[in-house]
Amino acid sequence: MTMRRVLITTLLLHLTLSGTVRYVDPHKEVGGARDGSWDSPFSKISECAVLLAGPGDECQVRAGVYHEDIVVSGVRGLEGNPAVITGYQDERPVIDGTVEVVPVEGKWDTSGDKVFGEIGEAIWQFFIGDTMMTNARWPNARWSDQSVFDGDKWAGVGDGSHIDLANKEGTIENRGSSLQDLKLNLTGAMAVMNIGKFNTFVAEVKHHDPEDNFFTYHHTFGNFEIETGLSRYFLEDKIELLDVEEEWHFDKGSMVLTFIPPVGTDMNTAKLRGKVQTYAINITDSQHLLIKNLDFFATTIKASSSSKTLYVDSLTFDSLKFMYPSYSKRMLNDISLIEWTDISGKFRGKRPDGCCGNFRFINNYFYGSDGLALAYHGDQGSVLKNNFFKHNDWTSNNMVKWGGGMATIYSDSQNDVIERNTLVDNGNGCGIRPGKTSNITLNHITGQCFGFQQNDGAGIQVTVKPQHNVRVENNWVMDSPKYGIRFDGERPNIGEHGNVIGNVVVKTNGVNLKGDYHTAMNNFVVESDRTNSKDSKCSLCMWKTVRRNLGVINQHSTVVNNIADIANGGYMFVREGDKIIQVKVDGKPAVWPIQGSTVANNLVGPDYTDLVTDPDNLDFRPVRNSPADEKKVGPYERSGRFYWIPGRQEEKASSPVPPHLSGSVVARRRRHVMWLNAYQSNFHQVYFGTTSEAVSTATPGSPEYVGDAKGGANVKPIPAKFRVVPGGTYFWRVDAKVGNKIVKGDVWEFTAI
Ligand SMILES: *[C@@H]1O[C@H](CO)[C@@H](O)[C@H](O)[C@H]1NC(C)=O
Ligand SMILES: *[C@@H]1O[C@H](CO)[C@@H](O)[C@H](O)[C@H]1NC(C)=O
Ligand SMILES: *[C@@H]1O[C@H](CO)[C@@H](O)[C@H](O)[C@H]1NC(C)=O
């Protein structure tokens, strides 16, 4: 290459790489017109966002509260050099979808047992201080104590419930007499109905008389039968239902807001806020865009494609925090779907030619969404990594037509990597629903279907087509009334060639892989819910038939190296004449042995606690010289400096093993402590001792200092001088080196038995 060409190339490179950085800071006093420069920053994000065009263009947003509609369109970044909207340095601007709620008359009427007044703008979600209020409802439940998630706070559906498709009318009969006992006229209330397994619908009550124990609604949800025993509903959004603290009602006709404030609220100082915005950021026709370091309150992001040429692709969402991102408009009598966080590279369900929709969701936080937390639709290789999801979706109303249901995280994509996400106590029956050929690795899912308000589902649920080459590997799925990991389908519509490898599934309904040619390898699956009477009470389930559908499945599956307390091939059904009957032995339903062409080296039985170190305290390493150790069965190696712990890495070390405050640590097996490394850190310092004070203040010079864990190691032996004995209580701490900073860890504590 000649000097000249080098020069030109360098120049071109420089031109393409450097974009324009602009600033947003409404608090800065500015003399003349604002132009986005450091000295004269814009006051709104939207003023800056509209100027984003090419690679390296940036909007750096200073701390503050922003309430605006931000449109991003026509952005053309480059791979490795996107256009950017970000919080400035470490600042966390808040994008707020609410407005302050003030009475038009200047003050609220507080003379009665309810507070009310006319307001100027329609709201569909209401906060007093930091607490979200609950739509006036029956049976009562509230957000603040999380009882809104509780399926027992829904009313039962009686056998007289039915759908009249011809007249598009549904009838819900209440189980028991609780509805008629209310003696309220509930015509016009909104009914939230889990009447179609993992489909929950919303309808307006068309007719109800105070003395009726049933109501009718306009049925537009498709053809299915209401499984009355398994169904449930609640009613809300009619003023008659407003009867306890924290409930609220808004009448869009009269614009009157009525509520009963939480006990102890001082109405003179209380800050009242109402949601008036669905999406703060609306992205269209943009490629290679990064949105980073922003907080969202009661609003969220939508990205969509509108034609073969106007599409979104290569969008990255990094370290965003969403509090209450989406909420239904049921209070406005609107039964349409909740407008949730939705990122779509597809156009009318199809991908624009040869592309689109590669998305990255990195290190985000989703809390308190009504409806599912995150949906995305795309093509190749989206990445969902190190995100946190808690207390999302307490109605599971994510469908307008009967179908397969949704999930906390719904992907309609392929070749995704879904890794290191933590899901805690989310309401939907299903946690992660991946698209095709995805790797679902190192996720930690606990309490899925929190409160049990929806039928069907699983922590990780793979529908038929996505099973092909899916890898569900090294996840922990725990404490859920649903399956931990599940593959759907029955003949003739089955999936094949899925892999479920090295997972820990405890206190769920177990692992149930329908289909064929699957591999279930090195999993640990125990303590499944034995109350599920419909199925064969297995933890590791490789069925032969899907109940009465006698099309055989799993004949070519591989089931090796697993630990389970109960494993079988499902209830035994056989054909007898023209009937299919369930086989019973001594009056009890018989089960098939676990199915597969290779079923080997599994350890099945109730003695699994002899095989792994301390499963109640999240230590699943095989016990030395046990069959699990000798035969290399289960998800873990016996020794080593690394112990994989799934889930989101936090700013400091987290997920202690044994868990913080555990009182049941098995002393004779407690030789090590383990933890999850801090985000972006592979160097940790460990302290261990017998008083909280000593451990809390310890430095590398202290006797409590155990040493460093380098290279990402996360296992440290407990020094001999602190040997764990029954009855002893121990304290420990793990500091993380992140960049040049030491991030001090919490003091953890456990007691041994
Ligand atoms: C019940 O309420 C609806 C709507 O508020 C009203 O139109 C209807 O007349 C009421 N019916 C009775 C029996 O009061
Ligand atoms: C987003 O912007 C596009 C085009 O600018 C518009 O058509 C669409 O209605 C907007 N969507 C929302 C949810 O605001
Ligand atoms: C999934 O994991 C397998 C095995 O590690 C790897 O070969 C494959 O490329 C991964 N797929 C994606 C989409 O990353």
Side-chain angles (χ1 to χ4, degrees):
M1 224 191 270
T2 63
M3 261 329 265
R4 200 175 151 157
R5 278 192 58 191
V6 171
L7 199 69
I8 291 172
T9 315
T10 316
L11 263 174
L12 277 175
L13 206 65
H14 190 73
L15 282 176
T16 37
L17 288 186
S18 63
T20 308
V21 176
R22 300 184 178 89
Y23 300 89
V24 183
D25 183 3
H27 303 297
K28 186 149 183 169
E29 303 275 345
V30 167
R34 291 170 176 267
D35 61 7
S37 62
W38 177 257
D39 291 329
S40 187
F42 290 125
S43 55
K44 290 179 160 182
I45 302 170
S46 49
E47 294 166 327
C48 183
V50 75
L51 298 174
L52 287 175
D57 283 353
E58 287 198 26
C59 296
Q60 299 201 6
V61 185
R62 304 297 309 263
V65 177
Y66 297 83
H67 178 75
E68 50 174 314
D69 296 322
I70 302 160
V71 175
V72 183
S73 196
V75 168
R76 300 287 180 272
L78 280 177
E79 180 77 48
N81 192 19
V84 181
I85 302 177
T86 180
Y88 172 74
Q89 294 188 352
D90 289 343
E91 296 180 4
R92 301 284 311 187
V94 179
I95 301 183
D96 187 343
T98 67
V99 290
E100 195 179 348
V101 175
V102 286
V104 174
E105 308 266 305
K107 62 197 258 292
W108 301 105
D109 186 321
T110 54
S111 58
D113 54 350
K114 295 168 189 147
V115 178
F116 64 93
E118 190 185 328
I119 60 175
E121 195 171 354
I123 62 170
W124 59 94
Q125 183 180 24
F126 182 46
F127 297 86
I128 298 185
D130 292 334
T131 308
M132 185 169 83
M133 298 296 106
T134 304
N135 293 25
R137 61 175 268 167
W138 172 86
N140 286 337
R142 65 183 70 176
W143 167 262
S144 64
D145 63 6
Q146 253 69 70
S147 57
V148 285
F149 285 92
D150 189 347
D152 291 343
K153 299 275 162 40
W154 298 45
V157 166
D159 294 335
S161 305
H162 60 274
I163 294 164
D164 174 354
L165 272 185
N167 293 309
K168 293 197 167 145
E169 185 170 281
T171 301
I172 298 293
E173 184 198 44
N174 183 70
R175 186 169 287 269
S177 63
S178 52
L179 179 60
Q180 72 191 33
D181 295 347
L182 287 175
K183 302 211 166 16
L184 296 176
N185 167 8
L186 292 171
T187 300
M190 305 302 277
V192 178
M193 307 177 290
N194 175 222
I195 52 176
K197 293 189 169 181
F198 37 38
N199 294 266
T200 301
F201 303 109
V202 171
E204 185 171 337
V205 173
K206 198 158 84 179
H207 186 81
H208 174 255
D209 278 336
E211 60 274 15
D212 287 346
N213 200 39
F214 64 90
F215 63 85
T216 62
Y217 67 91
H218 187 52
H219 183 91
T220 56
F221 313 122
N223 189 4
F224 60 91
E225 219 167 275
I226 299 177
E227 282 191 69
T228 55
L230 296 173
S231 296
R232 51 181 86 75
Y233 76 100
F234 66 89
L235 300 172
E236 61 170 35
D237 309 313
K238 204 176 180 194
I239 190 79
E240 283 82 343
L241 297 172
L242 208 178
D243 61 344
V244 291
E245 291 87 15
E246 299 183 26
E247 285 191 346
W248 70 288
H249 178 266
F250 173 71
D251 183 323
K252 69 175 185 210
S254 63
M255 298 294 286
V256 172
L257 172 70
T258 311
F259 56 99
I260 305 180
V263 184
T265 304
D266 177 354
M267 283 304 294
N268 295 315
T269 56
K271 293 241 179 321
L272 314 186
R273 303 201 66 83
K275 180 180 175 80
V276 297
Q277 182 185 58
T278 304
Y279 296 112
I281 301 185
N282 176 6
I283 307 168
T284 58
D285 180 29
S286 291
Q287 292 106 47
H288 296 289
L289 169 72
L290 164 66
I291 302 189
K292 192 170 173 178
N293 292 351
L294 301 170
D295 287 355
F296 292 77
F297 181 78
T299 188
T300 188
I301 301 179
K302 182 183 179 78
S304 55
S305 301
S306 56
S307 75
K308 283 185 166 183
T309 50
L310 302 177
Y311 57 82
V312 294
D313 187 28
S314 298
L315 309 181
T316 301
F317 305 92
D318 187 344
S319 305
L320 306 178
K321 183 173 185 184
F322 296 95
M323 298 295 288
Y324 309 102
S326 40
Y327 203 83
S328 91
K329 291 185 178 167
R330 292 190 298 270
M331 191 58 89
L332 305 179
N333 289 81
D334 184 341
I335 65 163
S336 54
L337 269 187
I338 295 167
E339 294 175 292
W340 50 67
T341 309
D342 196 1
I343 308 298
S344 181
K346 288 189 172 177
F347 164 58
R348 294 203 187 121
K350 291 211 167 62
R351 290 189 294 279
D353 298 328
C355 77
C356 265
N358 170 291
F359 305 118
R360 295 170 58 81
F361 303 92
I362 312 292
N363 198 40
N364 303 293
Y365 184 101
F366 295 84
Y367 180 86
S369 74
D370 182 18
L372 62 80
L374 173 64
Y376 60 97
H377 316 259
D379 185 16
Q380 294 296 326
S382 286
V383 176
L384 186 69
K385 201 164 170 176
N386 216 57
N387 301 285
F388 185 84
F389 298 84
K390 185 170 180 182
H391 286 165
N392 295 291
D393 204 356
W394 60 96
T395 60
S396 302
N397 162 228
N398 300 308
M399 304 293 285
V400 287
K401 275 271 183 295
W402 198 78
M406 288 299 233
T408 301
I409 303 167
Y410 177 80
S411 163
D412 157 31
S413 190
Q414 54 189 331
N415 298 344
D416 293 349
V417 172
I418 300 180
E419 188 176 308
R420 280 217 173 281
N421 302 289
T422 294
L423 284 76
V424 181
D425 295 348
N426 293 292
N428 200 286
C430 182
I432 299 175
R433 263 188 72 166
K436 289 185 202 162
T437 323
S438 298
N439 288 356
I440 302 149
T441 311
L442 286 169
N443 300 287
H444 189 177
I445 306 174
T446 56
Q448 193 63 39
C449 203
F450 182 53
F452 207 157
Q453 28 114 341
Q454 194 178 34
N455 272 305
D456 242 320
I460 299 169
Q461 179 160 354
V462 188
T463 52
V464 172
K465 282 189 186 142
Q467 283 163 34
H468 191 80
N469 285 344
V470 74
R471 291 179 77 89
V472 180
E473 194 165 356
N474 295 161
N475 302 281
W476 284 359
V477 190
M478 297 169 169
D479 295 311
S480 166
K482 303 294 164 181
Y483 285 112
I485 299 169
R486 140 183 189 166
F487 287 180
D488 286 337
E490 56 187 274
R491 291 212 183 261
N493 185 25
I494 63 160
E496 295 177 340
H497 298 288
N499 306 285
V500 173
I501 302 172
N503 300 282
V504 172
V505 181
V506 177
K507 294 195 176 98
T508 70
N509 268 345
V511 170
N512 187 353
L513 309 184
K514 299 176 213 164
D516 203 357
Y517 295 96
H518 296 317
T519 298
M521 192 160 81
N522 288 96
N523 299 289
F524 177 83
V525 193
V526 301
E527 289 185 66
S528 303
D529 182 7
R530 311 282 173 235
T531 60
N532 188 349
S533 57
K534 234 168 85 181
D535 292 337
S536 55
K537 304 180 193 304
C538 40
S539 282
L540 181 58
C541 317
M542 301 293 285
W543 286 356
K544 180 166 178 147
T545 73
V546 180
R547 306 190 187 95
R548 287 166 191 277
N549 176 341
L550 296 190
V552 170
I553 56 175
N554 276 320
Q555 289 313 281
H556 309 87
S557 292
T558 299
V559 189
V560 295
N561 306 347
N562 301 285
I563 300 174
D565 50 358
I566 302 178
N568 65 46
Y571 281 145
M572 202 179 274
F573 291 93
V574 294
R575 184 177 300 280
E576 217 179 68
D578 53 5
K579 277 212 236 113
I580 292 166
I581 59 149
Q582 181 167 12
V583 179
K584 295 198 173 171
V585 176
D586 297 335
K588 286 200 186 115
V591 291
W592 296 109
I594 192 141
Q595 299 292 300
S597 57
T598 308
V599 179
N601 206 35
N602 300 294
L603 296 170
V604 178
D607 300 337
Y608 63 88
T609 49
D610 298 339
L611 301 175
V612 299
T613 304
D614 193 355
D616 287 345
N617 289 294
L618 306 177
D619 189 340
F620 306 104
R621 295 175 301 172
V623 169
R624 179 193 284 269
N625 298 334
S626 70
D629 182 21
E630 282 161 2
K631 300 168 83 178
K632 301 245 174 291
V633 173
Y636 285 88
E637 312 248 312
R638 181 173 60 76
S639 60
R641 297 161 59 231
F642 301 91
Y643 178 78
W644 63 265
I645 296 177
R648 183 191 207 224
Q649 294 180 298
E650 304 286 344
E651 281 165 29
K652 47 187 168 183
S654 64
S655 294
V657 177
H660 182 42
L661 295 179
S662 170
S664 64
V665 174
V666 179
R668 73 193 144 88
R669 294 204 177 137
R670 186 51 37 210
R671 301 275 184 276
H672 301 99
V673 285
M674 286 102 78
W675 63 91
L676 177 58
N677 290 340
Y679 190 51
Q680 293 171 335
S681 170
N682 63 1
F683 180 100
H684 294 75
Q685 296 180 313
V686 184
Y687 301 90
F688 194 97
T690 47
T691 71
S692 173
E693 172 69 18
V695 167
S696 167
T697 56
T699 65
S702 313
E704 284 74 21
Y705 182 56
V706 176
D708 299 340
K710 294 187 183 134
N714 68 333
V715 177
K716 210 68 192 162
I718 297 170
K721 65 182 166 191
F722 294 122
R723 204 169 72 89
V724 174
V725 295
T729 294
Y730 304 88
F731 301 84
W732 57 299
R733 186 183 111 210
V734 177
D735 293 356
K737 193 168 169 210
V738 184
N740 294 323
K741 269 197 334 223
I742 297 285
V743 182
K744 191 173 171 183
D746 299 328
V747 174
W748 293 319
E749 171 185 347
F750 67 85
T751 298
I753 53 171

